[in-house]
PDB file of all heavy atoms in Angstrom:
ATOM      1  N   ARG A   2      11.004   8.158  -6.344  1.00  0.00           N
ATOM      2  CA  ARG A   2      10.663   7.852  -7.705  1.00  0.00           C
ATOM      3  C   ARG A   2       9.248   8.308  -7.962  1.00  0.00           C
ATOM      4  O   ARG A   2       8.388   8.232  -7.100  1.00  0.00           O
ATOM      5  CB  ARG A   2      10.777   6.337  -7.959  1.00  0.00           C
ATOM      6  CG  ARG A   2      12.164   5.728  -7.768  1.00  0.00           C
ATOM      7  CD  ARG A   2      13.106   6.224  -8.879  1.00  0.00           C
ATOM      8  NE  ARG A   2      14.430   5.605  -8.727  1.00  0.00           N
ATOM      9  CZ  ARG A   2      15.407   6.048  -7.977  1.00  0.00           C
ATOM     10  NH1 ARG A   2      15.222   7.158  -7.302  1.00  0.00           N
ATOM     11  NH2 ARG A   2      16.577   5.431  -7.926  1.00  0.00           N
ATOM     12  N   GLU A   3       8.988   8.705  -9.227  1.00  0.00           N
ATOM     13  CA  GLU A   3       7.632   9.232  -9.559  1.00  0.00           C
ATOM     14  C   GLU A   3       6.547   8.170  -9.449  1.00  0.00           C
ATOM     15  O   GLU A   3       5.410   8.458  -9.162  1.00  0.00           O
ATOM     16  CB  GLU A   3       7.637   9.792 -10.998  1.00  0.00           C
ATOM     17  CG  GLU A   3       8.460  11.064 -11.184  1.00  0.00           C
ATOM     18  CD  GLU A   3       8.328  11.590 -12.612  1.00  0.00           C
ATOM     19  OE1 GLU A   3       7.605  10.985 -13.395  1.00  0.00           O
ATOM     20  OE2 GLU A   3       8.907  12.693 -12.885  1.00  0.00           O
ATOM     21  N   ASN A   4       6.940   6.904  -9.658  1.00  0.00           N
ATOM     22  CA  ASN A   4       5.936   5.815  -9.581  1.00  0.00           C
ATOM     23  C   ASN A   4       5.786   5.194  -8.201  1.00  0.00           C
ATOM     24  O   ASN A   4       5.223   4.162  -8.032  1.00  0.00           O
ATOM     25  CB  ASN A   4       6.278   4.753 -10.620  1.00  0.00           C
ATOM     26  CG  ASN A   4       7.643   4.103 -10.403  1.00  0.00           C
ATOM     27  OD1 ASN A   4       8.447   4.657  -9.687  1.00  0.00           O
ATOM     28  ND2 ASN A   4       7.815   2.915 -10.933  1.00  0.00           N
ATOM     29  N   ILE A   5       6.396   5.810  -7.212  1.00  0.00           N
ATOM     30  CA  ILE A   5       6.334   5.320  -5.801  1.00  0.00           C
ATOM     31  C   ILE A   5       5.639   6.361  -4.961  1.00  0.00           C
ATOM     32  O   ILE A   5       6.009   7.576  -4.908  1.00  0.00           O
ATOM     33  CB  ILE A   5       7.711   5.024  -5.226  1.00  0.00           C
ATOM     34  CG1 ILE A   5       8.377   3.868  -5.979  1.00  0.00           C
ATOM     35  CG2 ILE A   5       7.601   4.672  -3.753  1.00  0.00           C
ATOM     36  CD1 ILE A   5       9.763   3.492  -5.456  1.00  0.00           C
ATOM     37  N   THR A   6       4.582   5.964  -4.266  1.00  0.00           N
ATOM     38  CA  THR A   6       3.854   6.813  -3.336  1.00  0.00           C
ATOM     39  C   THR A   6       4.173   6.364  -1.923  1.00  0.00           C
ATOM     40  O   THR A   6       4.034   5.181  -1.614  1.00  0.00           O
ATOM     41  CB  THR A   6       2.338   6.777  -3.550  1.00  0.00           C
ATOM     42  OG1 THR A   6       2.075   7.204  -4.883  1.00  0.00           O
ATOM     43  CG2 THR A   6       1.597   7.649  -2.595  1.00  0.00           C
ATOM     44  N   VAL A   7       4.582   7.310  -1.070  1.00  0.00           N
ATOM     45  CA  VAL A   7       4.901   6.981   0.321  1.00  0.00           C
ATOM     46  C   VAL A   7       3.795   7.541   1.181  1.00  0.00           C
ATOM     47  O   VAL A   7       3.456   8.721   1.127  1.00  0.00           O
ATOM     48  CB  VAL A   7       6.272   7.598   0.721  1.00  0.00           C
ATOM     49  CG1 VAL A   7       6.527   7.292   2.189  1.00  0.00           C
ATOM     50  CG2 VAL A   7       7.377   7.007  -0.149  1.00  0.00           C
ATOM     51  N   ARG A   8       3.225   6.728   2.009  1.00  0.00           N
ATOM     52  CA  ARG A   8       2.233   7.116   3.000  1.00  0.00           C
ATOM     53  C   ARG A   8       2.790   6.843   4.408  1.00  0.00           C
ATOM     54  O   ARG A   8       3.102   5.687   4.723  1.00  0.00           O
ATOM     55  CB  ARG A   8       0.930   6.364   2.859  1.00  0.00           C
ATOM     56  CG  ARG A   8       0.182   6.653   1.564  1.00  0.00           C
ATOM     57  CD  ARG A   8      -1.232   6.104   1.730  1.00  0.00           C
ATOM     58  NE  ARG A   8      -1.842   5.779   0.445  1.00  0.00           N
ATOM     59  CZ  ARG A   8      -3.014   5.161   0.374  1.00  0.00           C
ATOM     60  NH1 ARG A   8      -3.722   4.832   1.427  1.00  0.00           N
ATOM     61  NH2 ARG A   8      -3.569   4.936  -0.843  1.00  0.00           N
ATOM     62  N   LEU A   9       2.841   7.869   5.236  1.00  0.00           N
ATOM     63  CA  LEU A   9       3.354   7.692   6.584  1.00  0.00           C
ATOM     64  C   LEU A   9       2.182   7.686   7.579  1.00  0.00           C
ATOM     65  O   LEU A   9       1.107   8.203   7.275  1.00  0.00           O
ATOM     66  CB  LEU A   9       4.326   8.810   6.967  1.00  0.00           C
ATOM     67  CG  LEU A   9       5.567   8.918   6.026  1.00  0.00           C
ATOM     68  CD1 LEU A   9       6.393  10.119   6.476  1.00  0.00           C
ATOM     69  CD2 LEU A   9       6.390   7.645   6.057  1.00  0.00           C
ATOM     70  N   SER A  10       2.435   7.070   8.731  1.00  0.00           N
ATOM     71  CA  SER A  10       1.384   6.962   9.790  1.00  0.00           C
ATOM     72  C   SER A  10       0.070   6.451   9.211  1.00  0.00           C
ATOM     73  O   SER A  10      -0.998   6.940   9.465  1.00  0.00           O
ATOM     74  CB  SER A  10       1.139   8.353  10.433  1.00  0.00           C
ATOM     75  OG  SER A  10       2.346   8.853  10.942  1.00  0.00           O
ATOM     76  N   CYS A  11       0.228   5.427   8.363  1.00  0.00           N
ATOM     77  CA  CYS A  11      -0.912   4.849   7.658  1.00  0.00           C
ATOM     78  C   CYS A  11      -1.066   3.397   8.076  1.00  0.00           C
ATOM     79  O   CYS A  11      -0.149   2.609   7.913  1.00  0.00           O
ATOM     80  CB  CYS A  11      -0.725   4.944   6.165  1.00  0.00           C
ATOM     81  SG  CYS A  11      -2.041   4.204   5.191  1.00  0.00           S
ATOM     82  N   ASP A  12      -2.204   3.033   8.640  1.00  0.00           N
ATOM     83  CA  ASP A  12      -2.486   1.672   9.062  1.00  0.00           C
ATOM     84  C   ASP A  12      -2.835   0.789   7.830  1.00  0.00           C
ATOM     85  O   ASP A  12      -3.760   1.117   7.116  1.00  0.00           O
ATOM     86  CB  ASP A  12      -3.643   1.647  10.071  1.00  0.00           C
ATOM     87  CG  ASP A  12      -3.900   0.254  10.664  1.00  0.00           C
ATOM     88  OD1 ASP A  12      -3.265  -0.729  10.192  1.00  0.00           O
ATOM     89  OD2 ASP A  12      -4.717   0.147  11.577  1.00  0.00           O
ATOM     90  N   TYR A  13      -2.043  -0.255   7.622  1.00  0.00           N
ATOM     91  CA  TYR A  13      -2.263  -1.134   6.482  1.00  0.00           C
ATOM     92  C   TYR A  13      -3.679  -1.654   6.473  1.00  0.00           C
ATOM     93  O   TYR A  13      -4.356  -1.729   5.416  1.00  0.00           O
ATOM     94  CB  TYR A  13      -1.290  -2.289   6.535  1.00  0.00           C
ATOM     95  CG  TYR A  13      -1.590  -3.386   5.539  1.00  0.00           C
ATOM     96  CD1 TYR A  13      -1.257  -3.280   4.184  1.00  0.00           C
ATOM     97  CD2 TYR A  13      -2.229  -4.529   5.943  1.00  0.00           C
ATOM     98  CE1 TYR A  13      -1.516  -4.275   3.265  1.00  0.00           C
ATOM     99  CE2 TYR A  13      -2.548  -5.538   5.023  1.00  0.00           C
ATOM    100  CZ  TYR A  13      -2.192  -5.409   3.694  1.00  0.00           C
ATOM    101  OH  TYR A  13      -2.495  -6.405   2.808  1.00  0.00           O
ATOM    102  N   PHE A  14      -4.247  -1.956   7.650  1.00  0.00           N
ATOM    103  CA  PHE A  14      -5.570  -2.579   7.711  1.00  0.00           C
ATOM    104  C   PHE A  14      -6.669  -1.507   7.591  1.00  0.00           C
ATOM    105  O   PHE A  14      -7.811  -1.833   7.566  1.00  0.00           O
ATOM    106  CB  PHE A  14      -5.706  -3.320   9.059  1.00  0.00           C
ATOM    107  CG  PHE A  14      -4.688  -4.439   9.194  1.00  0.00           C
ATOM    108  CD1 PHE A  14      -3.551  -4.260   9.959  1.00  0.00           C
ATOM    109  CD2 PHE A  14      -4.801  -5.598   8.519  1.00  0.00           C
ATOM    110  CE1 PHE A  14      -2.599  -5.255  10.071  1.00  0.00           C
ATOM    111  CE2 PHE A  14      -3.882  -6.614   8.575  1.00  0.00           C
ATOM    112  CZ  PHE A  14      -2.756  -6.436   9.369  1.00  0.00           C
ATOM    113  N   GLY A  15      -6.267  -0.254   7.520  1.00  0.00           N
ATOM    114  CA  GLY A  15      -7.248   0.815   7.250  1.00  0.00           C
ATOM    115  C   GLY A  15      -7.387   1.188   5.792  1.00  0.00           C
ATOM    116  O   GLY A  15      -8.212   1.967   5.445  1.00  0.00           O
ATOM    117  N   ILE A  16      -6.547   0.550   4.941  1.00  0.00           N
ATOM    118  CA  ILE A  16      -6.578   0.834   3.518  1.00  0.00           C
ATOM    119  C   ILE A  16      -7.759   0.109   2.902  1.00  0.00           C
ATOM    120  O   ILE A  16      -8.086  -1.027   3.211  1.00  0.00           O
ATOM    121  CB  ILE A  16      -5.261   0.398   2.855  1.00  0.00           C
ATOM    122  CG1 ILE A  16      -4.081   1.144   3.465  1.00  0.00           C
ATOM    123  CG2 ILE A  16      -5.318   0.604   1.334  1.00  0.00           C
ATOM    124  CD1 ILE A  16      -2.764   0.684   2.907  1.00  0.00           C
ATOM    125  N   ASP A  17      -8.444   0.751   1.940  1.00  0.00           N
ATOM    126  CA  ASP A  17      -9.525   0.162   1.192  1.00  0.00           C
ATOM    127  C   ASP A  17      -8.997  -1.029   0.417  1.00  0.00           C
ATOM    128  O   ASP A  17      -8.183  -0.869  -0.513  1.00  0.00           O
ATOM    129  CB  ASP A  17     -10.147   1.232   0.263  1.00  0.00           C
ATOM    130  CG  ASP A  17     -11.368   0.627  -0.530  1.00  0.00           C
ATOM    131  OD1 ASP A  17     -11.648  -0.592  -0.359  1.00  0.00           O
ATOM    132  OD2 ASP A  17     -11.955   1.402  -1.306  1.00  0.00           O
ATOM    133  N   SER A  18      -9.401  -2.198   0.790  1.00  0.00           N
ATOM    134  CA  SER A  18      -8.819  -3.423   0.186  1.00  0.00           C
ATOM    135  C   SER A  18      -9.086  -3.506  -1.340  1.00  0.00           C
ATOM    136  O   SER A  18      -8.306  -4.124  -2.060  1.00  0.00           O
ATOM    137  CB  SER A  18      -9.427  -4.671   0.817  1.00  0.00           C
ATOM    138  OG  SER A  18     -10.840  -4.723   0.681  1.00  0.00           O
ATOM    139  N   SER A  19     -10.124  -2.825  -1.834  1.00  0.00           N
ATOM    140  CA  SER A  19     -10.414  -2.886  -3.272  1.00  0.00           C
ATOM    141  C   SER A  19      -9.332  -2.170  -4.080  1.00  0.00           C
ATOM    142  O   SER A  19      -9.155  -2.474  -5.282  1.00  0.00           O
ATOM    143  CB  SER A  19     -11.773  -2.260  -3.521  1.00  0.00           C
ATOM    144  OG  SER A  19     -11.780  -0.860  -3.227  1.00  0.00           O
ATOM    145  N   THR A  20      -8.596  -1.225  -3.463  1.00  0.00           N
ATOM    146  CA  THR A  20      -7.607  -0.471  -4.190  1.00  0.00           C
ATOM    147  C   THR A  20      -6.324  -1.262  -4.338  1.00  0.00           C
ATOM    148  O   THR A  20      -5.431  -0.869  -5.130  1.00  0.00           O
ATOM    149  CB  THR A  20      -7.280   0.864  -3.422  1.00  0.00           C
ATOM    150  OG1 THR A  20      -6.724   0.531  -2.172  1.00  0.00           O
ATOM    151  CG2 THR A  20      -8.533   1.702  -3.296  1.00  0.00           C
ATOM    152  N   ILE A  21      -6.158  -2.364  -3.595  1.00  0.00           N
ATOM    153  CA  ILE A  21      -4.914  -3.107  -3.686  1.00  0.00           C
ATOM    154  C   ILE A  21      -5.169  -4.590  -3.967  1.00  0.00           C
ATOM    155  O   ILE A  21      -4.248  -5.399  -3.885  1.00  0.00           O
ATOM    156  CB  ILE A  21      -4.097  -2.988  -2.354  1.00  0.00           C
ATOM    157  CG1 ILE A  21      -4.941  -3.442  -1.176  1.00  0.00           C
ATOM    158  CG2 ILE A  21      -3.615  -1.577  -2.130  1.00  0.00           C
ATOM    159  CD1 ILE A  21      -4.170  -3.505   0.153  1.00  0.00           C
ATOM    160  N   SER A  22      -6.401  -4.944  -4.313  1.00  0.00           N
ATOM    161  CA  SER A  22      -6.733  -6.334  -4.457  1.00  0.00           C
ATOM    162  C   SER A  22      -5.998  -7.086  -5.561  1.00  0.00           C
ATOM    163  O   SER A  22      -5.763  -8.245  -5.452  1.00  0.00           O
ATOM    164  CB  SER A  22      -8.270  -6.498  -4.680  1.00  0.00           C
ATOM    165  OG  SER A  22      -8.655  -5.747  -5.857  1.00  0.00           O
ATOM    166  N   ASN A  23      -5.579  -6.322  -6.603  1.00  0.00           N
ATOM    167  CA  ASN A  23      -4.881  -6.936  -7.680  1.00  0.00           C
ATOM    168  C   ASN A  23      -3.370  -6.640  -7.718  1.00  0.00           C
ATOM    169  O   ASN A  23      -2.672  -6.850  -8.664  1.00  0.00           O
ATOM    170  CB  ASN A  23      -5.467  -6.506  -9.033  1.00  0.00           C
ATOM    171  CG  ASN A  23      -6.923  -6.975  -9.222  1.00  0.00           C
ATOM    172  OD1 ASN A  23      -7.218  -8.144  -8.873  1.00  0.00           O
ATOM    173  ND2 ASN A  23      -7.777  -6.128  -9.684  1.00  0.00           N
ATOM    174  N   CYS A  24      -2.903  -6.108  -6.567  1.00  0.00           N
ATOM    175  CA  CYS A  24      -1.439  -5.708  -6.472  1.00  0.00           C
ATOM    176  C   CYS A  24      -0.650  -6.850  -5.802  1.00  0.00           C
ATOM    177  O   CYS A  24      -1.194  -7.647  -5.051  1.00  0.00           O
ATOM    178  CB  CYS A  24      -1.332  -4.469  -5.650  1.00  0.00           C
ATOM    179  SG  CYS A  24      -2.141  -2.995  -6.283  1.00  0.00           S
ATOM    180  N   THR A  25       0.602  -6.873  -6.156  1.00  0.00           N
ATOM    181  CA  THR A  25       1.533  -7.719  -5.444  1.00  0.00           C
ATOM    182  C   THR A  25       1.990  -6.945  -4.185  1.00  0.00           C
ATOM    183  O   THR A  25       2.495  -5.838  -4.263  1.00  0.00           O
ATOM    184  CB  THR A  25       2.790  -8.087  -6.265  1.00  0.00           C
ATOM    185  OG1 THR A  25       2.350  -8.850  -7.391  1.00  0.00           O
ATOM    186  CG2 THR A  25       3.817  -8.846  -5.479  1.00  0.00           C
ATOM    187  N   ILE A  26       1.796  -7.557  -3.054  1.00  0.00           N
ATOM    188  CA  ILE A  26       2.058  -6.852  -1.782  1.00  0.00           C
ATOM    189  C   ILE A  26       3.219  -7.518  -1.071  1.00  0.00           C
ATOM    190  O   ILE A  26       3.262  -8.722  -0.912  1.00  0.00           O
ATOM    191  CB  ILE A  26       0.795  -6.882  -0.859  1.00  0.00           C
ATOM    192  CG1 ILE A  26      -0.328  -6.127  -1.529  1.00  0.00           C
ATOM    193  CG2 ILE A  26       1.085  -6.298   0.489  1.00  0.00           C
ATOM    194  CD1 ILE A  26      -1.691  -6.321  -0.817  1.00  0.00           C
ATOM    195  N   ILE A  27       4.189  -6.662  -0.625  1.00  0.00           N
ATOM    196  CA  ILE A  27       5.291  -7.119   0.196  1.00  0.00           C
ATOM    197  C   ILE A  27       4.948  -6.616   1.608  1.00  0.00           C
ATOM    198  O   ILE A  27       4.983  -5.416   1.889  1.00  0.00           O
ATOM    199  CB  ILE A  27       6.637  -6.541  -0.223  1.00  0.00           C
ATOM    200  CG1 ILE A  27       6.870  -6.800  -1.720  1.00  0.00           C
ATOM    201  CG2 ILE A  27       7.771  -7.073   0.670  1.00  0.00           C
ATOM    202  CD1 ILE A  27       6.999  -8.245  -2.069  1.00  0.00           C
ATOM    203  N   TYR A  28       4.651  -7.561   2.511  1.00  0.00           N
ATOM    204  CA  TYR A  28       4.226  -7.218   3.857  1.00  0.00           C
ATOM    205  C   TYR A  28       5.365  -7.485   4.827  1.00  0.00           C
ATOM    206  O   TYR A  28       5.933  -8.611   4.900  1.00  0.00           O
ATOM    207  CB  TYR A  28       3.031  -8.076   4.271  1.00  0.00           C
ATOM    208  CG  TYR A  28       2.502  -7.757   5.685  1.00  0.00           C
ATOM    209  CD1 TYR A  28       1.683  -6.682   5.935  1.00  0.00           C
ATOM    210  CD2 TYR A  28       2.898  -8.583   6.752  1.00  0.00           C
ATOM    211  CE1 TYR A  28       1.203  -6.379   7.200  1.00  0.00           C
ATOM    212  CE2 TYR A  28       2.418  -8.278   8.049  1.00  0.00           C
ATOM    213  CZ  TYR A  28       1.604  -7.191   8.256  1.00  0.00           C
ATOM    214  OH  TYR A  28       1.170  -6.925   9.503  1.00  0.00           O
ATOM    215  N   SER A  29       5.835  -6.412   5.553  1.00  0.00           N
ATOM    216  CA  SER A  29       6.967  -6.547   6.456  1.00  0.00           C
ATOM    217  C   SER A  29       6.590  -6.280   7.902  1.00  0.00           C
ATOM    218  O   SER A  29       7.484  -6.068   8.748  1.00  0.00           O
ATOM    219  CB  SER A  29       8.126  -5.640   5.998  1.00  0.00           C
ATOM    220  OG  SER A  29       7.687  -4.279   6.058  1.00  0.00           O
TER     221      SER A  29
END
């Protein structure tokens, strides 16, 4: 889908927290 970005080999804890601070996160 155009509104979905897939990142592979990406450590969740390496993501800049400011970019997802206001997002709803599903953690699996």
